[in-house]
Amino acid sequence: MMEKNAKIYVAGHRGMVGSAIVRELERQGYTNIITRTHKELDLCRQDQVEKFFAEEKPEYVFLAAAKVGGIVANSEALADFMYDNMILEMNVINSAWKNGCKKLEFLGSSCIYPRMAPQPMPESCLLTSELEKTNEAYALAKISGLKYCEFLNKQYGTDYISVMPTNLYGPNDNYHPEHSHVLPALIRRFHEAKESGAKSVTCWGDGSPLREFLYVDDLANLCVFLMNNYSGNETVNAGTGKELTIKELTEMVAKVVGYEGEILWDTSRPNGTPRKLLDVSKAAKLGWTYKTELEDGIRLAYKDFLENPMRAER
Ligand SMILES: NC(=O)c1ccc[n+]([C@@H]2O[C@H](COP(=O)([O-])OP(=O)(O)OC[C@H]3O[C@@H](n4cnc5c(N)ncnc54)[C@H](OP(=O)(O)O)[C@@H]3O)[C@@H](O)[C@H]2O)c1
């Protein structure tokens, strides 16, 4: 259990996940949270990271910093995604360990699982067959981070864990027109269509793929829960265990945003994987479950989008 005054470093605290972890820690009464902006500390620079850890010696680390992007960004910059993420993770995890960090939690992503994984995907399907090519670089970097935690545990007896979330959304999301994930991209498109009075919005594919979404504050709650209640080499999936079609999602976003025009489907565009659902029974057995239903979460995310137009531009 983390003491309420334990020194906790949240890496990536300005990002969607990192900021949610800071909110959750503060909500639970943790008083000694340390952070650094990207400008103050470039986690890809080994010298800077080593100096920071040697000076601060945090007792606990949540590693939520990463070079993150949607499918377009990922597939166009495979080399950059691999290099930045691999270097960043190795720097932070290694420096944490060298400086006596008691427990570290590494944030990955469900894209670490094989392209043809059984659905829903259990933690045990890791490295059982080939990865999806479009985000292979990112996935390999994340698998390396997870494995590095496992190997430190095995070789040096540390207590480093990892968590693999499904698609996330919520406050501080990235709404960039080309570099965002599906749900924030839809929020932005329907908002802009409503503002401009567009008669229709055209979406990619036929709307049939099934996807799962977790509100980021629920993930943050799980992250703190795992830091306090879980030890083990195998990762823990973070999701709702519930799925819906992209068509249903699109209609839900349009409803929340208040867009009343037509939704068209461009079937010449790719659909992506037909189904992507996490098996969340492990987190459930540990005693955790999500709280925010999707429509309520989209409402909260849209409110944040409207209240923070500058951030929505990033
Ligand atoms: N978003 C999702 O749907 C999703 C789903 C599953 C898993 N995850 C995982 O959650 C983690 C965080 O994702 P997120 O959505 O919160 O991403 P995000 O909003 O882009 O936040 C990432 C943060 O990391 C910082 N960062 C990146 N490179 C850095 C560097 N070299 N030095 C210092 N800081 C650096 C970024 O700062 P700058 O912006 O200043 O670069 C940003 O504040 C990732 O591991 C990701 O795989 C996310």
Side-chain angles (χ1 to χ4, degrees), residues 93-299:
I93 301 170
N94 181 263
S95 289
W97 164 67
K98 272 196 208 149
N99 289 286
C101 165
K102 285 185 195 156
K103 193 160 181 172
L104 176 145
E105 185 170 333
F106 173 65
L107 266 292
S109 152
S110 59
C111 70
I112 61 160
Y113 294 124
R115 195 167 63 90
M116 303 302 281
Q119 301 291 331
M121 301 181 280
E123 290 84 354
S124 58
C125 75
L126 181 68
L127 292 174
T128 52
S129 61
E130 263 184 62
L131 296 165
E132 162 66 35
K133 292 286 173 209
T134 47
N135 54 20
E136 195 181 15
Y138 189 74
L140 283 169
K142 289 292 178 189
I143 293 171
S144 301
L146 176 168
K147 283 283 167 188
Y148 187 45
C149 291
E150 175 184 331
F151 297 153
L152 282 172
N153 292 346
K154 286 182 171 159
Q155 190 178 346
Y156 295 108
T158 50
D159 183 11
Y160 290 4
I161 60 172
S162 63
V163 55
M164 298 299 134
T166 185
N167 300 298
L168 302 168
Y169 68 101
N172 278 327
D173 208 342
N174 178 356
Y175 293 93
H176 189 282
E178 283 122 45
H179 299 151
S180 55
H181 293 111
V182 56
L183 184 36
L186 287 174
I187 291 178
R188 182 181 181 135
R189 289 193 64 198
F190 281 106
H191 172 76
E192 288 175 352
K194 184 178 88 169
E195 295 288 286
S196 68
K199 292 212 163 39
S200 65
V201 169
T202 304
C203 301
W204 280 27
D206 64 7
S208 67
L210 286 158
R211 292 290 182 274
E212 176 189 20
F213 298 90
L214 178 67
Y215 189 60
V216 71
D217 287 27
D218 287 352
L219 169 72
N221 179 263
L222 173 63
C223 288
V224 176
F225 174 85
L226 293 175
M227 194 64 117
N228 284 327
N229 297 288
Y230 177 73
S231 294
N233 291 330
E234 196 187 61
T235 191
V236 181
N237 286 342
T240 61
K242 283 190 183 169
E243 56 191 343
L244 81 172
T245 64
I246 292 290
K247 186 165 183 292
E248 287 165 332
L249 174 73
T250 306
E251 287 161 0
M252 198 180 273
V253 173
K255 181 181 157 201
V256 169
V257 170
Y259 175 73
E260 287 172 350
E262 211 180 337
I263 302 171
L264 305 173
W265 295 92
D266 179 355
T267 51
S268 68
R269 301 288 196 165
N271 260 340
T273 318
R275 193 174 177 213
K276 248 187 113 179
L277 179 66
L278 285 177
D279 180 338
V280 293
S281 53
K282 184 169 176 178
K285 274 192 207 111
L286 291 167
W288 184 87
T289 183
Y290 78 102
K291 291 190 195 76
T292 314
E293 293 300 341
L294 186 56
E295 193 170 326
D296 298 333
I298 295 175
R299 228 171 271 287

Side-chain angles (χ1 to χ4, degrees), residues 9 11-19 36-39 41-45 63-68 84-85 88 106-110 138 142 164-169 172-174 181 216 219 314:
Y9 170 47
H13 73 291
R14 282 193 170 171
M16 176 168 64
V17 172
S19 59
R36 291 290 185 279
T37 63
H38 190 161
K39 215 173 155 196
L41 172 62
D42 182 352
L43 297 172
C44 287
R45 292 282 306 275
L63 178 39
K67 182 181 172 71
V68 176
D84 285 4
N85 283 301
L88 184 154
F106 173 65
L107 266 292
S109 152
S110 59
Y138 189 74
K142 289 292 178 189
M164 298 299 134
T166 185
N167 300 298
L168 302 168
Y169 68 101
N172 278 327
D173 208 342
N174 178 356
H181 293 111
V216 71
L219 169 72
R314 82 196 169 105

